[in-house]
């Protein structure tokens, strides 16, 4: 059984005090985590403080991005070593906002995936998903396939145990319009099949595939009930500890 992973992507939100309070609020809900693994992913400038706030709890620390070079003249970028130093475990790569607002390509993502998986203590949450017009043109599978093939090129299957895929249809992110459980399961099963081609069947069976896009406490149970849905990457609903805890509890109950 794959252990579900529920991670809260706080994006470019919260003040320092709010981030600390939310982190403490999430950590205080640990009784509802059950078998679920839980992570919070604050903005870079809050990573250290959030790490302090969750110290000693079973909430893992995440970061929203990382640069692939080890150090040097890369103004504004953050290295994997800096993140490790702060206790980060999960690093997002290729979030749709980075792809579609900031112009990140799967080739760029690939360099980041390698840099992250080359650090034994880090796990990479690689995000993929189609835009609305791509779904309407029946290109969902093509888009997911090419994001997987290009983004994961050259990744050694021995490192894939630290890889998580987040399937996030772009039309569902921040819109209140989540994929149905059938749409999610169909995409996740397809993605697992592609992972089997890239790695092998056993590796694909072990990789967690999170669903993301308007997950809330009220729709989490049905999404998490799907066999290939192994947790959630949560944006808006992760900014309230109670709501986030409801999603975690749903994932834990579905994957007992
Ligand atoms: P949302 O965002 O839950 O606000 O739709 C999900 C995400 O971007 O990871």
């Amino acid at each position: 059984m794959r252990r579900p992973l529920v991670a809260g992507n706080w994006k470019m939100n919260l003040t320092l005090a709010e981030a600390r309070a939310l982190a403490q609020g999430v950590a205080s809900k640990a009784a509802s985590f059950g078998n679920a693994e839980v992570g919070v992913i604050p903005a870079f400038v809050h990573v250290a403080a959030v790490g302090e706030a969750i110290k000693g709890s079973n909430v893992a620390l995440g970061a929203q991005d990382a640069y692939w070079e080890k150090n040097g003249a890369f103004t504004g970028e953050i290295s994997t070593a800096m993140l490790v130093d702060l206790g980060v475990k999960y690093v997002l790569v290729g979030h749709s906002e980075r792809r579609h607002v900031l112009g990140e390509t799967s080739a760029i993502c690939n360099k980041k995936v390698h840099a992250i998986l080359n650090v034994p203590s880090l796990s990479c949450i690689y995000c993929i998903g189609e835009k609305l017009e791509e779904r309407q043109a029946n290109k969902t599978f093509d888009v997911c396939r090419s994001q997987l093939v290009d983004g994961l090129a050259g990744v050694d299957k021995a490192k894939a145990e630290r890889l998580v895929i987040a399937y996030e249809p772009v039309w569902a992110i921040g819109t209140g319009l989540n994929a149905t459980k059938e749409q999610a399961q169909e995409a996740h099963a397809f993605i697992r099949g592609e992972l089997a081609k890239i790695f092998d069947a056993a590796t694909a069976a072990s990789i967690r595939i999170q669903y993301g896009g308007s997950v809330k406490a009220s729709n989490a149970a049905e999404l998490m009930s799907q066999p290939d849905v192994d947790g959630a990457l949560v944006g808006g609903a992760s900014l309230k500890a109670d709501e986030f805890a409801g999603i975690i509890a749903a994932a834990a109950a579905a994957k007992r």
Side-chain angles (χ1 to χ4, degrees), residues 198-210:
I198 293 169
F199 300 113
D200 58 37
T203 305
S206 72
I207 294 176
R208 291 176 292 182
I209 306 175
Q210 297 176 298

Side-chain angles (χ1 to χ4, degrees), residues 5 37-39 41 60-64 88-92 121-125 164 208:
L5 172 64
E37 211 175 311
V38 175
I41 313 178
L61 188 60
Q64 297 176 16
V88 165
K89 176 167 185 200
Y90 292 100
V91 186
L92 294 182
S121 65
L122 291 179
S123 292
C124 176
I125 301 179
V164 176
R208 291 176 292 182

Side-chain angles (χ1 to χ4, degrees), residues 9 11 18 44 53 67 76 79 81 85 88 94-95 107 122 129 137 154 156 170 176 197 204 211 227 233 243 251:
N9 173 13
K11 307 190 180 181
E18 288 167 345
F44 281 138
Y67 197 60
S79 73
D85 206 22
V88 165
H95 188 276
L122 291 179
D156 179 352
V170 180
K197 290 184 205 157
Y211 169 78
L233 183 57
E243 182 76 14

Side-chain angles (χ1 to χ4, degrees), residues 47-48 51-52 55 61 78-89 91 119 121-122:
V47 168
E52 283 298 317
K55 214 178 206 145
L61 188 60
I78 302 287
S79 73
T80 54
M82 292 170 181
L83 298 176
V84 169
D85 206 22
L86 299 181
V88 165
K89 176 167 185 200
V91 186
V119 181
S121 65
L122 291 179

Side-chain angles (χ1 to χ4, degrees), residues 70 111-122 159 162:
K70 284 200 160 51
K111 295 187 193 191
K112 295 183 174 183
V113 170
H114 278 281
I116 293 160
L117 293 180
N118 281 340
V119 181
S121 65
L122 291 179
K159 291 179 182 160
R162 290 182 285 108

Side-chain angles (χ1 to χ4, degrees), residues 9 11 95 97 168 172-174 213-215 233-236:
N9 173 13
K11 307 190 180 181
H95 188 276
E97 287 139 24
E168 301 200 297
I173 297 178
S214 297
V215 179
L233 183 57
V234 187

Side-chain angles (χ1 to χ4, degrees), residues 137-200:
N138 282 322
K139 291 199 174 129
T140 297
F141 288 175
D142 292 344
V143 170
C144 290
R145 182 190 297 113
S146 73
Q147 289 176 338
L148 287 170
V149 168
D150 297 346
L152 301 179
V155 171
D156 179 352
K157 73 177 169 203
K159 291 179 182 160
E161 62 181 20
R162 290 182 285 108
L163 175 67
V164 176
I165 304 295
Y167 169 65
E168 301 200 297
V170 180
W171 47 272
I173 297 178
T175 58
L177 197 86
N178 60 283
T180 64
K181 62 183 193 304
E182 292 83 8
Q183 286 172 323
Q185 172 56 26
E186 181 188 43
H188 284 227
F190 172 80
I191 290 164
R192 203 173 300 287
E194 292 302 303
L195 292 171
K197 290 184 205 157
I198 293 169
F199 300 113
D200 58 37

